[in-house]
């Protein structure tokens, strides 16, 4: 932990706090929705703490609210969260060197912490960034959910604050260093086109995984010859 | 909603997070594979940005959100500080919605 604070840049902490503030707003809307859906308070907190994957949590609670089959929703949520496997493959080394820390760090593996860390390389700064972003977002997400649950209908729609635009913009900003490479731009563009084309036909979260087909554009001229 | 549902989703998601990290630890990754693993993360994140920007529930998300993301993207490209990128994107979308843009 001491090494973490030593390698942490003030800029990185500030940037992670900006993300955390935005995620708290989304967490509050999740808490409000869980209240409306009649999910018991303790269950809602357990869901938020144990799952810590926003989109799949919203999916399950929305199905509960609509009176649908919870286990079908859980299966859909797990399918949605399958993207964490390639994320772990990509930055598993960055998280920690030793297993106790890795087991803890695995739970902080989310889209934002992956993008945040990768934008800062795979060295000590990338590692400190991963933990900082992961811990802050975990805390703010859960506190946001509790506040939202307590405030209930007093919570305005997060769409009014434009947070739904803040997250893609933030992810894109964090991807810019990676997209300086031509092969990454080709892969990214292909992934985006494939995922968008698949969206009307596939369940939520699956088009993103289909975006892995973007790797077909990874071949370099050197490999082809 | 039951404890069984919460624990199934929670434990399942944790295992999905862990499996990639374990696999990565178990194998010696040649440089070419390393490049593909890195590109896979890029592919997923860009696909996530694209779908989160333009789609909502399988359809078009409306104009306010992509406009906000575009403003944020231009700001990021112009090397505006990250905090401002987030604020500009959100403010643009929020402002357009106040003006009645869906």
């Amino acid at each position: 932990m001491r090494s973490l604070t030593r390698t942490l840049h003030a800029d990185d902490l500030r940037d992670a706090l900006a993300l955390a503030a935005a995620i708290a707003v989304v967490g509050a809307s999740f808490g409000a929705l869980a209240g409306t859906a009649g999910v018991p308070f303790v269950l809602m907190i357990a869901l938020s703490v144990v799952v810590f994957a926003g989109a799949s949590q919203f999916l399950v609670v929305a199905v509960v609210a609509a009176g649908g089959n919870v286990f079908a929703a859980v299966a859909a949520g797990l399918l949605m969260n399958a993207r964490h496997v390639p994320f772990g493959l990509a930055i598993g080394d960055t998280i920690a060197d030793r297993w106790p820390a890795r087991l803890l760090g695995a739970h902080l593996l989310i889209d934002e912490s992956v993008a945040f860390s990768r934008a800062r390389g795979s060295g000590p700064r990338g590692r400190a960034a991963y933990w900082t972003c992961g811990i802050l977002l975990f805390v703010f997400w859960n506190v946001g959910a509790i506040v939202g649950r307590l405030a209930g209908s007093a919570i305005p729609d997060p769409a009014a604050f434009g947070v739904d635009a803040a997250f893609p913009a933030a992810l894109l900003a964090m991807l810019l260093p990676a997209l300086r490479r031509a092969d990454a731009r080709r892969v990214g563009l292909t992934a985006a086109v494939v995922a968008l084309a698949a969206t009307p036909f596939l369940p939520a979260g699956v088009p993103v995984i289909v975006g892995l087909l973007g790797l077909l554009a990874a071949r370099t001229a050197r490999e082809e010859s | 909603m039951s404890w069984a549902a919460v624990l199934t989703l929670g434990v399942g998601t944790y295992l999905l997070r862990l499996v990639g990290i374990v696999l990565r630890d178990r194998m010696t990754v040649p440089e070419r594979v390393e490049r593909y693993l890195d590109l896979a993360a890029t592919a997923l994140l860009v696909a996530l940005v694209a779908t989160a920007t333009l789609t909502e529930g399988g359809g078009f998300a409306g104009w306010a959100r992509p406009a906000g993301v575009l403003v944020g993207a231009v700001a990021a490209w112009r090397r505006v500080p990250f905090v401002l990128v987030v604020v500009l994107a959100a403010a643009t979308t929020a402002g357009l919605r106040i003006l009645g843009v869906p």
Side-chain angles (χ1 to χ4, degrees), chain A residues 48-113:
Chain A
S48 238
V49 169
V50 177
V51 178
F52 189 43
S56 62
Q57 290 175 225
F58 269 106
L59 180 78
V60 172
V61 170
V63 168
V64 170
N69 181 330
V70 180
F71 278 94
V74 166
L78 287 172
L79 187 61
M80 190 184 255
N81 291 340
R83 68 176 184 282
H84 293 93
V85 177
F87 282 154
L89 278 166
I91 69 156
D93 287 358
T94 305
I95 295 172
D97 293 326
R98 301 178 50 189
W99 274 111
R102 278 186 179 175
L103 291 175
L104 191 67
H107 194 56
L108 303 175
L109 193 74
I110 51 172
D111 307 314
E112 289 80 10
S113 62

Side-chain angles (χ1 to χ4, degrees), chain B:
Chain B
M1 189 64 113
S2 61
W3 280 104
V6 170
L7 291 175
T8 307
L9 185 59
V11 172
T13 300
Y14 181 76
L15 290 174
L16 288 168
R17 284 177 166 131
L18 193 62
V19 72
I21 300 168
V22 172
L23 283 173
R24 174 71 197 238
D25 184 59
R26 286 291 158 91
M27 55 190 201
T28 43
V29 184
E31 208 169 316
R32 250 189 66 222
V33 177
E34 170 81 64
R35 177 175 155 255
Y36 272 92
L37 291 179
D38 188 53
L39 286 170
T42 300
L44 285 167
L45 289 166
V46 177
L48 189 68
V49 169
T51 52
T53 299
L54 293 166
T55 70
E56 181 67 49
F60 180 52
W63 294 104
R65 191 193 300 170
V69 176
L70 183 67
V71 169
V74 171
W77 178 61
R78 302 291 307 175
R79 308 204 172 220
V80 169
F82 179 77
V83 177
L84 267 179
V85 170
V86 176
V87 171
L88 280 170
T92 304
T93 298
L96 284 170
R97 284 185 181 139
I98 289 170
L99 296 173
V101 177

